[in-house]
Amino acid sequence: MSSIGDGCLLPRPQGQVVKMAECSGLQFVSPYAFEAMQKVDVVRLAALSDPELRLLLPCLVRMALCAPADQSQSWAQDKKLILRLLSGVEAVNSIVALLSVDFHALEQDANKEQQLRHKLGGGSGESILVSQLQHGLTLEFEHSDSPRRLRLVLSELLAIMNKVLETNGEFFFKSSELFESPVYLDEAADVLCILQAELPSLLPIVDVAEALLHVKNGAWFLCLLVANVPDSFNEVCRGLIKNGERQDEESLGGRRRTEALRHLCKMNPSQALRIRGMVVEECHLPGLGVALTLDHTRNESSDDGVSDLVCFVSGLLLGTNARVRTWFGTFIRNGQQRKKENVSSVLWQMRRQLLLELMGILPTVRSTHIVDEADADMEPNVSVYSGLKEEHVVKASALLRLYCALMGIAGLKPTDEEAEQLLQLMTSRPPATPAGVRFVSLSFCMLLAFSTLVSTPEQEQLMVMWLSWMIKEEAYFESISGVSASFGEMLLLVAMYFHSNQLSAIIDLVCSTLGMKIVIKPSSLSRMKTIFTQEIFTEQVVTAHAVRVPVTGNLSANITGFLPIHCIYQLLRSRSFTKHKVSIKDWIYRQLCETTTPLHPQLLPLIDVYINSILTPASKSNPEATNQPVTEQEILNVFKGLTGGETGRVNQRYSITAQLLVLYYVLSYEEALLANTKTLAAMQKKPKSYSSALMDQIPIKYLIRQAQGLQQELGGLHSALLRLLATNYPHLCIVDDWICEEQITGTDALLRRMLLTNTAKKHSSKQLQEAFSMLPGNHTQVMQILEHLTLLSAGELIPYAEVLTSNMNQLLNPGVPRRILQTVNKLWMVLNTVMPRRLWVMTVNALQPSVKIVRQQKYTQKDLMIDPLIVLRCDQRVHRCPPLMDITLHMLNGYLLASKAYLSSHLKETAEQDIRPSQNNMMGPEAPEVTREELKNALLAAQDSAAVQILLEICLPTEEEKAQSSNSHSLLKNIQSAAAAIEPPSKGVEEEQDSLLCNLREVQCLICCLLHQMYIADPNIVKLVHFQGYPCELLPLTVAGIPSMHICLDFIPELIAQPELEKQIFAIQLLSYLCIQYALPKSLSVARLAINVMGTLLTVLTQTKRFAFFMPTLPCLVSFCQAFPPLYDDIMSLLIQIGQVCASDVATQTRDFDPIITRLQQLKEKPNEQSELCKDLFYKHGLKNMGSMDPDVQLCQCIERTIIEIINMTVSGV
């Protein structure tokens, strides 16, 4: 006989049978026999014993008697063998008799009985199949012939199947004499098999299987039924599983279903694991899944690998399917709650099997006896404990993770025996291999997660000894196993978390190491915290040990796990180094230098917390408790070989990652220092700032450009550097530079590489200098070398920068070809992408007037940031050399931005000056700050406006340029004449257009572009410059050339309201040009305001001021009319009014002026008739003696000219 726990999944030799618990006296179909039936292997069937053959007779008899579909010769031979095999068996005759019944009539009667039962509501009532039973079922069965036997079994079976349907899944046990009497079981089984085979539509095999679960010996009947219809095995199993309970051990029905399916899998062991897969898929019958796994585990070959049971249960609990995890976890929890029949349950068998596997890999010589530490130190790196075998380490790790899942996810409560053996395994000592490192890490985390496993003082002492061994052996394990992230860093990290009371961080660390989310109560860590902080790792020991840990070589994101950098980061956060006066600066510097791409995510947080520990003391009581910053020499060493000008690929000791990290450290340090200046000043502590000389030697722009190409590998470092640059070095973040850089680093760079010849590579800076020295007479050689240099990359151009800039003064001499100037401009812009600050200083010094160059007056970076206007104090010839003026304007824009950043940082650096006066200041501490901020803003505004005024002056033509253009109109005059618009272009206009294509016009365009950028960046500059005023000759240029001049419409009303007459005149003149350029509703309203103001001023101004105001502003009225014709009436009324005022003044002196007033009235009333006549008379007689006229007379004549221009403009349709 065979019990549930002793099942066999391998084929047995012939004659051996399988006996089960409920059906203890019954014989089951063996796997050998079932396989023979599946394959219809007649030879193997012939080898079966009579008892085994008896179970398969229904199928074999049907095979022998029924007409086969296979008409081959081989089957004919096999059929003869089957007949010969059956000839000696007596029971065959009864089965033949059963097959001789009229099954069609039987099926009809069965259907009628089914209908009758439905009508009667499922009651017993009359039976059509079996009428008037005089004895019990058993006696009736014994005395009946074959047809009646079929009817008896069919009637009983249909009754059970109907009741199954009526109960809707509720299990019931049906007592039936037919299925219980041991004497007639074989005959009843024969009848059952024949009925199902002959009446498949009436008796679906899945429904029959479901009904058999409700009778005694149902599993035996089911196995016989399936054995005689072997093709239905999977269908029956799937149906039973699908209809099964979610938790099979909770009910009798679930246990019987599990037992039946387990019988079936015993009979067909090759399909057992497939049936287990169905169980998991449906999330039904978890006990069956475990039982099948146990059967498979006991019969598989014993090896040192991870067993199928461990894999199966781990997959359920640690898989990604939450539904499966919850289902199996419920099975574990419910199984523990049952007190009765605990030993016979599947859960108990599973736990026992796991415990046996665990004990099987434990070291053979091992107990809780603690060996003296003196004995343990006898041989270095060799423990007196018997360690785990190397082949058992992976299996041990799998077992630990499984027990963690069982306890943490499924809620398993270990017995004392399980806890003892688990602790023995966790504190064993594996070999120094990567798998050994993993095992120790898992054991350590399991101790933290389930500290209840350590319950006795002996066990606690064992754990402490094991932890001490971990500390001692950590370096040896790392050196032998070759794993960078070993358990030593994890120990340090946990110790630091315990010291800083970051228990949630320890829980996260444990969960991530174990690879599962389990609930750990912080209170359960209290005992471990005491052991760590007081016995093993005091805070001083932690900090001292952390500094001695070697840095991780070539640290990158590819190195996972817990590294020394994690430990140092936590210690810095908890300020342990400063508390115990342990210097960490050298370790951090070495680690930053030992980095590579892809960037490790912990590096930037490490730098930030390190900077904070430098600037912020650990406590107010001890302001000196800070870390030391990295020295300037150490910083320069990182950039050695890079500042010399070459690309840094040759003889470069440090990686680009290290250089970018050090740059990030320096910039972040300076920003944090400025941000904390007030706090540090209040504490009377001022950390040292890095010198400007150091910052000048770091090639910031070059490094940023390198980082741009490595954004994917650098994580957030590139964006962090850009943020720091935009805040502290805005002159290195000019938009034009980024656009230029895109052009330089795009496809053009690849084309340049293709065109780059060996000749271009051979040119040295010395050859370039020699070519420049020959410049007055020979331009060819310089041009050739410069053209070759344009093929080089920005980094390769750096050695030529000094020669290029130092010879710029020579390019100002007359006769230098424009192509040379443009090529130099192009090379300068390329160099500007990698070394802008140094290049700007060299260029400013090279373009100084010859007097300063002789005096050898050299400006520094700081000089230019304090006074950006030095850039414009260059040689005057630069102002008429567009390529060099472009460079000058670029530098001016950069230094204006740099000056703003410099003054802001200077204000923060000297914040202590605000604190000292505030102690005795009754206005409060905010008053000095506001004053200093206002002074800084005023200085910057004055600086910007001065730069704008100087640039506007440069736009004015010189006396020589005026003389050259004396034959034509002024360069700044706006060609608006109506006659010129309708007449064909004359020779004079062509000459004027030719004269516009000159250096002055190009310089004006460059200046207008820069002014537009400045106005957009800060609209207040526009207002300030126009309130200061500038020559009115420049108004046509500024309005037409600077698109942002429309901003002026916002403040012109305020400018007109100023008391100074000059500002009012300038405002009206500016408005006249703006109305032409921007004929908008806003312009119309401002123009109407200006006309009203002019009318008001007419009544209050004296004769002298009236002449001074209206003579320059009257022509503006023509522009108003041209832009806005609706203003015609208002303007004409104003002109007549002005004429009347002037005429009244003249009338007091003489009567000769009346004809002019009369003419003005006629012009207003009949403009078309009088305009041409007045125009001719005026030009014939009016201009002759204008100089000698009275101011009022001159003003009247100006009015007349204005009216005529307006009339002519109106008539011509302009």
Side-chain angles (χ1 to χ4, degrees):
M1 302 299 171
S2 176
S3 67
I4 293 178
D6 301 327
C8 176
L9 288 175
L10 296 177
R12 294 175 180 268
Q14 65 176 28
Q16 190 173 356
V17 295
V18 184
K19 305 287 180 73
M20 302 303 282
E22 184 194 57
C23 317
S24 57
L26 300 178
Q27 181 174 325
F28 280 82
V29 179
S30 67
Y32 183 86
F34 185 81
E35 186 178 357
M37 283 298 292
Q38 270 188 318
K39 297 178 180 178
V40 196
D41 190 338
V42 180
V43 177
R44 296 182 77 175
L45 287 171
L48 293 177
S49 65
D50 290 341
E52 284 188 303
L53 192 62
R54 174 69 185 84
L55 302 176
L56 306 175
L57 284 181
C59 181
L60 292 174
V61 171
R62 288 189 78 247
M63 257 191 274
L65 296 181
C66 297
D70 187 359
Q71 300 294 334
S72 64
Q73 188 65 31
S74 61
W75 171 243
Q77 294 296 326
D78 288 343
K79 191 171 180 180
K80 289 179 181 178
L81 288 174
I82 293 174
L83 287 169
R84 188 179 306 151
L85 182 65
L86 297 176
S87 63
V89 181
E90 184 182 351
V92 170
N93 294 327
S94 62
I95 297 175
V96 172
L98 290 173
L99 288 170
S100 304
V101 174
D102 184 1
F103 285 99
H104 178 67
L106 182 63
E107 185 174 12
Q108 287 181 334
D109 289 346
N111 288 329
K112 289 178 182 178
E113 180 163 323
Q114 290 284 75
Q115 292 172 3
L116 182 62
R117 290 187 187 218
H118 282 303
K119 285 182 180 179
L120 297 175
S124 58
E126 292 292 329
S127 173
I128 297 174
L129 286 170
V130 183
S131 58
Q132 297 180 353
L133 291 176
Q134 297 179 1
H135 307 286
L137 265 177
T138 307
L139 285 175
E140 286 287 339
F141 187 82
E142 180 183 357
H143 296 148
S144 301
D145 56 359
S146 295
R148 187 163 176 79
R149 283 190 173 190
L150 286 170
R151 288 175 178 272
L152 285 170
V153 173
L154 181 58
S155 177
E156 189 72 7
L157 190 59
L158 287 175
I160 299 171
M161 290 171 64
N162 286 330
K163 191 171 182 181
V164 169
L165 292 174
E166 291 168 5
T167 54
N168 293 325
E170 289 185 20
F171 184 79
F172 64 92
F173 187 79
K174 169 72 172 172
S175 179
S176 175
E177 295 180 41
L178 273 179
F179 298 109
E180 293 175 4
S181 176
V183 178
Y184 302 108
L185 285 181
D186 288 340
E187 286 83 355
D190 293 340
V191 173
L192 178 65
C193 293
I194 295 298
L195 279 171
Q196 199 284 322
E198 296 296 336
L199 304 173
S201 59
L202 182 65
L203 301 174
I205 193 165
V206 176
D207 294 347
V208 174
E210 191 72 30
L212 290 174
L213 296 178
H214 298 266
V215 298
K216 188 178 180 182
N217 303 319
W220 182 81
F221 280 103
L222 180 57
C223 286
L224 258 66
L225 179 63
V226 174
N228 282 275
V229 193
D231 293 342
S232 66
F233 179 86
N234 284 326
E235 181 188 358
V236 170
C237 290
R238 182 171 288 280
L240 291 176
I241 292 170
K242 202 162 189 177
N243 296 325
E245 295 79 357
R246 282 187 61 83
Q247 300 297 330
D248 49 357
E249 293 205 332
E250 297 297 304
S251 64
L252 175 62
R255 290 194 293 273
R256 291 183 63 82
R257 189 182 300 271
T258 298
E259 181 187 355
L261 282 162
R262 201 171 175 187
H263 277 296
L264 288 171
C265 290
K266 296 279 185 183
M267 185 174 71
N268 188 9
S270 63
Q271 293 294 310
L273 296 183
R274 184 175 179 184
I275 303 306
R276 187 181 71 178
M278 294 180 188
V279 166
V280 177
E281 181 184 343
E282 297 291 338
C283 285
H284 288 170
L285 311 177
L288 174 63
V290 175
L292 294 178
T293 308
L294 286 169
D295 294 340
H296 182 64
T297 302
R298 289 172 186 149
N299 291 281
E300 69 182 351
S301 58
S302 178
D303 55 15
D304 295 323
V306 182
S307 71
D308 183 57
L309 178 63
V310 175
C311 295
F312 174 67
V313 181
S314 298
L316 295 180
L317 292 175
L318 300 177
T320 56
N321 193 326
R323 177 167 164 259
V324 171
R325 188 165 54 246
T326 305
W327 163 68
F328 195 74
T330 306
F331 166 71
I332 301 290
R333 291 187 183 89
N334 293 347
Q336 289 185 108
Q337 293 171 2
R338 287 193 306 273
K339 300 294 182 183
K340 299 177 182 178
E341 302 178 3
N342 198 20
V343 176
S344 62
S345 69
V346 175
L347 177 60
W348 184 89
Q349 294 176 37
M350 181 191 80
R351 293 175 69 169
R352 188 65 192 164
Q353 180 64 29
L354 288 175
L355 188 59
L356 289 173
E357 290 189 26
L358 189 152
M359 295 170 67
I361 62 172
L362 279 177
T364 51
V365 183
R366 185 64 194 269
S367 69
T368 53
H369 172 64
I370 307 303
V371 182
D372 292 336
E373 196 65 37
D375 298 332
D377 293 334
M378 289 169 57
E379 290 183 62
N381 300 329
V382 178
S383 173
V384 297
Y385 286 83
S386 176
L388 272 178
K389 292 180 181 179
E390 187 171 349
E391 59 269 21
H392 288 158
V393 174
V394 174
K395 186 173 182 179
S397 298
L399 275 169
L400 286 184
R401 289 194 74 224
L402 173 57
Y403 271 102
C404 285
L406 285 170
M407 292 189 286
I409 297 174
L412 181 74
K413 297 176 182 177
T415 62
D416 292 342
E417 185 182 10
E418 286 173 330
E420 171 69 20
Q421 299 301 326
L422 268 175
L423 187 62
Q424 294 288 339
L425 180 62
M426 285 189 292
T427 54
S428 59
R429 305 182 180 185
T433 61
V437 172
R438 170 72 174 156
F439 172 78
V440 174
S441 301
L442 288 172
S443 300
F444 177 56
C445 287
M446 191 171 178
L447 275 174
L448 292 171
F450 306 103
S451 54
T452 52
L453 294 174
V454 182
S455 56
T456 64
E458 292 79 10
Q459 291 175 338
E460 187 174 304
Q461 191 178 359
L462 175 66
M463 180 187 68
V464 172
M465 292 289 292
W466 183 73
L467 290 172
S468 303
W469 169 82
M470 282 178 67
I471 299 166
K472 180 181 174 184
E473 298 291 320
E474 182 267 328
Y476 171 71
F477 262 70
E478 186 169 347
S479 62
I480 297 298
S481 65
V483 180
S484 299
S486 70
F487 50 81
E489 282 72 33
M490 187 186 295
L491 269 173
L492 265 179
L493 198 58
V494 170
M496 288 180 288
Y497 283 143
F498 272 131
H499 279 288
S500 57
N501 203 31
Q502 298 182 55
L503 301 183
S504 60
I506 295 177
I507 294 170
D508 292 340
L509 171 63
V510 168
C511 291
S512 63
T513 305
L514 293 175
M516 62 190 80
K517 188 68 177 175
I518 56 179
V519 179
I520 304 172
K521 294 181 180 178
S523 58
S524 65
L525 296 170
S526 57
R527 181 57 190 147
M528 292 294 288
K529 179 180 178 181
T530 306
I531 294 171
F532 260 83
T533 55
Q534 296 180 12
E535 297 182 33
I536 301 174
F537 274 114
T538 62
E539 193 172 46
Q540 194 164 2
V541 171
V542 171
T543 51
H545 182 75
V547 179
R548 292 196 299 270
V549 173
V551 299
T552 308
N554 292 323
L555 176 63
S556 71
N558 294 330
I559 303 177
T560 57
F562 297 97
L563 303 166
I565 188 172
H566 294 97
C567 306
I568 300 299
Y569 172 74
Q570 288 302 327
L571 287 171
L572 279 170
R573 280 191 64 188
S574 60
R575 307 307 295 269
S576 300
F577 292 111
T578 50
K579 202 181 298 180
H580 298 285
K581 299 181 180 178
V582 177
S583 176
I584 194 60
K585 183 257 295 183
D586 294 334
W587 191 97
I588 291 178
Y589 177 73
R590 289 197 306 272
Q591 184 62 84
L592 292 182
C593 295
E594 283 288 337
T595 52
T596 185
T597 53
L599 189 75
H600 195 281
Q602 198 64 39
L603 282 165
L604 294 186
L606 177 75
I607 293 173
D608 293 337
V609 76
Y610 172 56
I611 291 171
N612 184 55
S613 71
I614 296 172
L615 301 177
T616 310
S619 62
K620 292 183 179 180
S621 59
N622 188 9
E624 298 303 321
T626 55
N627 284 312
Q628 295 300 312
V630 181
T631 64
E632 291 194 3
Q633 187 57 49
E634 288 173 330
I635 293 170
L636 285 176
N637 289 342
V638 175
F639 302 107
K640 205 169 185 179
L642 196 60
T643 54
E646 299 296 335
T647 56
R649 293 173 188 165
V650 184
N651 298 327
Q652 187 175 321
R653 179 181 171 189
Y654 298 100
S655 66
I656 184 67
T657 316
Q659 292 166 346
L660 290 170
L661 286 170
V662 173
L663 173 63
Y664 175 78
Y665 159 75
V666 174
L667 295 178
S668 296
Y669 177 85
E670 291 296 316
E671 184 181 58
L673 184 60
L674 292 176
N676 292 291
T677 306
K678 279 189 175 182
T679 308
L680 295 169
M683 299 174 66
Q684 297 182 350
K685 182 181 186 320
K686 188 173 183 181
K688 185 182 177 183
S689 173
Y690 289 115
S691 65
S692 57
L694 169 69
M695 303 307 297
D696 291 343
Q697 293 181 68
I698 299 177
I700 298 176
K701 196 66 183 288
Y702 171 79
L703 292 168
I704 293 293
R705 190 174 169 196
Q706 295 296 310
Q708 190 174 359
L710 300 169
Q711 289 187 55
Q712 296 295 327
E713 297 178 327
L714 292 176
L717 180 57
H718 179 254
S719 56
L721 286 171
L722 284 183
R723 180 189 64 79
L724 291 167
L725 274 192
T727 306
N728 303 298
Y729 292 88
H731 49 294
L732 299 182
C733 298
I734 300 174
V735 177
D736 289 348
D737 288 352
W738 295 119
I739 296 173
C740 177
E741 199 168 319
E742 288 294 328
Q743 296 171 352
I744 292 169
T745 56
T747 54
D748 291 348
L750 297 175
L751 293 173
R752 284 199 304 272
R753 284 289 175 190
M754 294 169 63
L755 297 171
L756 191 58
T757 60
N758 291 327
T759 312
K761 293 180 182 177
K762 289 178 182 177
H763 291 304
S764 64
S765 56
K766 187 177 180 182
Q767 288 175 323
L768 181 61
Q769 181 61 52
E770 291 172 357
F772 270 117
S773 62
M774 301 165 60
L775 195 57
N778 185 0
H779 301 119
T780 308
Q781 191 171 356
V782 174
M783 192 66 249
Q784 186 179 12
I785 295 176
L786 291 177
E787 287 291 340
H788 285 161
L789 292 182
T790 58
L791 300 176
L792 299 179
S793 67
E796 292 166 337
L797 273 179
I798 293 176
Y800 303 92
E802 194 166 350
V803 178
L804 272 175
T805 54
S806 61
N807 288 282
M808 276 186 175
N809 222 335
Q810 295 189 49
L811 303 177
L812 297 172
N813 295 325
V816 177
R818 177 62 181 257
R819 186 173 178 183
I820 291 180
L821 291 167
Q822 287 178 331
T823 308
V824 168
N825 176 281
K826 184 179 179 182
L827 293 172
W828 191 94
M829 291 299 176
V830 174
L831 282 167
N832 185 59
T833 62
V834 288
M835 49 173 297
R837 294 176 299 156
R838 186 171 153 221
L839 182 68
W840 294 355
V841 174
M842 291 192 295
T843 307
V844 169
N845 286 318
L847 292 178
Q848 290 302 305
S850 54
V851 179
K852 291 187 178 180
I853 293 176
V854 171
R855 293 178 187 167
Q856 294 185 344
Q857 183 178 354
K858 297 286 184 182
Y859 294 109
T860 63
Q861 186 80 18
K862 188 174 182 180
D863 296 334
L864 293 165
M865 284 196 296
I866 293 174
D867 185 9
L869 300 181
I870 293 174
V871 177
L872 294 175
R873 297 184 198 128
C874 56
D875 195 315
Q876 294 297 312
R877 294 173 294 176
V878 175
H879 299 163
R880 292 298 179 264
C881 181
L884 296 186
M885 190 63 187
D886 184 26
I887 293 172
T888 304
L889 293 175
H890 198 94
M891 294 188 298
L892 175 65
N893 187 30
Y895 277 122
L896 286 173
L897 293 172
S899 181
K900 290 181 175 66
Y902 173 78
L903 289 175
S904 297
S905 63
H906 178 73
L907 212 63
K908 292 177 181 177
E909 284 175 4
T910 56
E912 69 272 6
Q913 297 179 12
D914 300 332
I915 295 173
R916 290 169 191 164
S918 68
Q919 294 172 355
N920 298 319
N921 192 351
M922 298 303 292
M923 296 176 67
E926 292 298 324
E929 179 67 24
V930 172
T931 305
R932 280 160 52 82
E933 187 69 26
E934 287 178 349
L935 288 173
K936 182 204 77 170
N937 293 335
L939 174 60
L940 290 174
Q943 196 169 263
D944 289 341
S945 63
V948 173
Q949 294 288 3
I950 294 171
L951 291 175
L952 290 172
E953 285 182 19
I954 293 172
C955 291
L956 286 170
T958 61
E959 294 300 327
E960 296 176 1
E961 290 166 339
K962 287 179 181 177
Q964 290 174 3
S965 61
S966 59
N967 295 329
S968 62
H969 294 290
S970 172
L971 289 172
L972 300 174
K973 183 174 180 181
N974 194 9
I975 305 171
Q976 298 174 352
S977 171
I982 58 176
E983 293 176 7
S986 63
K987 185 178 179 182
V989 175
E990 291 177 359
E991 289 177 359
E992 182 178 349
Q993 289 175 348
D994 292 339
S995 68
L996 291 177
L997 302 176
C998 62
N999 289 337
L1000 174 60
R1001 173 60 60 169
E1002 192 172 348
V1003 167
Q1004 287 173 344
C1005 292
L1006 292 172
I1007 289 174
C1008 285
C1009 286
L1010 177 62
L1011 294 182
H1012 174 57
Q1013 293 177 18
M1014 293 178 68
Y1015 289 173
I1016 290 296
D1018 186 5
N1020 291 325
I1021 299 174
V1022 193
K1023 185 174 182 180
L1024 179 58
V1025 168
H1026 286 85
F1027 269 71
Q1028 292 171 344
Y1030 50 83
C1032 60
E1033 295 90 340
L1034 289 170
L1035 284 173
L1037 173 70
T1038 56
V1039 172
I1042 304 174
S1044 53
M1045 280 292 288
H1046 64 83
I1047 300 172
C1048 299
L1049 292 170
D1050 294 332
F1051 59 78
I1052 281 180
E1054 188 180 350
L1055 185 58
I1056 293 176
Q1058 295 298 306
E1060 294 88 350
L1061 209 60
E1062 294 79 6
K1063 290 185 178 179
Q1064 295 171 340
I1065 295 168
F1066 181 75
I1068 293 172
Q1069 290 175 326
L1070 170 63
L1071 179 61
S1072 67
Y1073 289 103
L1074 287 172
C1075 287
I1076 297 295
Q1077 189 74 19
Y1078 306 103
L1080 305 170
K1082 188 173 185 179
S1083 307
L1084 174 61
S1085 62
V1086 179
R1088 186 172 276 117
L1089 172 67
I1091 294 168
N1092 294 335
V1093 170
M1094 291 174 72
T1096 304
L1097 289 175
L1098 176 64
T1099 62
V1100 296
L1101 293 178
T1102 62
Q1103 181 186 15
T1104 308
K1105 289 185 177 180
R1106 185 169 64 230
F1107 177 79
F1109 176 77
F1110 283 105
M1111 283 300 286
T1113 56
L1114 284 177
C1116 300
L1117 296 174
V1118 180
S1119 299
F1120 291 158
C1121 263
Q1122 181 181 353
F1124 306 111
L1127 296 177
Y1128 176 83
D1129 290 338
D1130 293 341
I1131 290 172
M1132 292 301 290
S1133 300
L1134 175 64
L1135 289 171
I1136 296 297
Q1137 190 179 357
I1138 297 169
Q1140 289 174 344
V1141 171
C1142 295
S1144 62
D1145 284 347
V1146 173
T1148 58
Q1149 302 170 12
T1150 177
R1151 291 288 178 183
D1152 298 336
F1153 209 68
D1154 284 342
I1156 294 178
I1157 302 301
T1158 305
R1159 197 158 58 248
L1160 290 176
Q1161 292 289 351
Q1162 291 173 351
L1163 281 171
K1164 182 180 179 183
E1165 293 168 2
K1166 298 179 180 180
N1168 294 339
E1169 299 174 6
Q1170 302 294 328
S1171 61
E1172 292 299 325
L1173 177 63
C1174 293
K1175 186 176 180 182
D1176 295 338
L1177 290 172
F1178 176 78
Y1179 282 108
K1180 285 180 182 178
H1181 307 291
L1183 293 174
K1184 292 181 181 179
N1185 47 1
M1186 182 171 289
S1188 59
M1189 282 185 185
D1190 183 85
D1192 286 328
V1193 176
Q1194 293 183 37
L1195 192 55
C1196 285
Q1197 291 181 348
C1198 184
I1199 294 168
E1200 189 173 3
R1201 287 197 306 276
T1202 304
I1203 292 175
I1204 292 171
E1205 284 185 27
I1206 292 172
I1207 293 170
N1208 289 334
M1209 177 191 67
T1210 308
V1211 171
S1212 61
V1214 177

